[in-house]
Amino acid sequence: MQRIVLNPGEGPGWHTHPGPATVIVKSGNFTMVQDDCSEVTFTEGDVVVDQGFGNVHRAYNPGPGTTELWVTYVVPQGAGLIIPSSIPECAG
């Protein structure tokens, strides 16, 4: 489990996970952008399950304040939590 605090505009670049990740938005807003460039914004209290296994996306805090997330990862022992990915054509 990982606690992540993001300032407005902050978030990891394009990536996937080696297994599913469950995100709880404790406070603020959280936007996920899929590899087809569709976006969904989640708010305090929302729970998001990312399937991992090649589901390429990016995520960020759209503001206005800070965002606190709690993420539970289910990944193989010894694996990293994120796997960087190339920028999809729609975002390039």
Side-chain angles (χ1 to χ4, degrees):
M1 181 171 261
Q2 181 181 36
R3 176 181 179 253
I4 301 171
V5 177
L6 301 170
N7 289 314
E10 287 185 330
W14 293 96
H15 66 279
T16 188
H17 302 279
T22 302
V23 180
I24 300 169
V25 182
K26 178 152 174 138
S27 63
N29 299 303
F30 176 66
T31 297
M32 287 188 68
V33 185
Q34 298 299 323
D35 62 357
D36 64 358
C37 290
S38 62
E39 295 187 10
V40 177
T41 298
F42 302 94
T43 58
E44 183 176 322
D46 286 343
V47 176
V48 183
V49 178
D50 171 31
Q51 64 190 11
F53 301 108
N55 178 46
V56 175
H57 60 282
R58 76 185 219 27
Y60 67 95
N61 170 2
T66 59
T67 295
E68 180 179 353
L69 308 170
W70 284 88
V71 186
T72 301
Y73 301 91
V74 180
V75 298
Q77 186 172 359
L81 299 180
I82 67 171
I83 301 167
S85 180
S86 358
I87 298 171
E89 285 187 31
C90 65

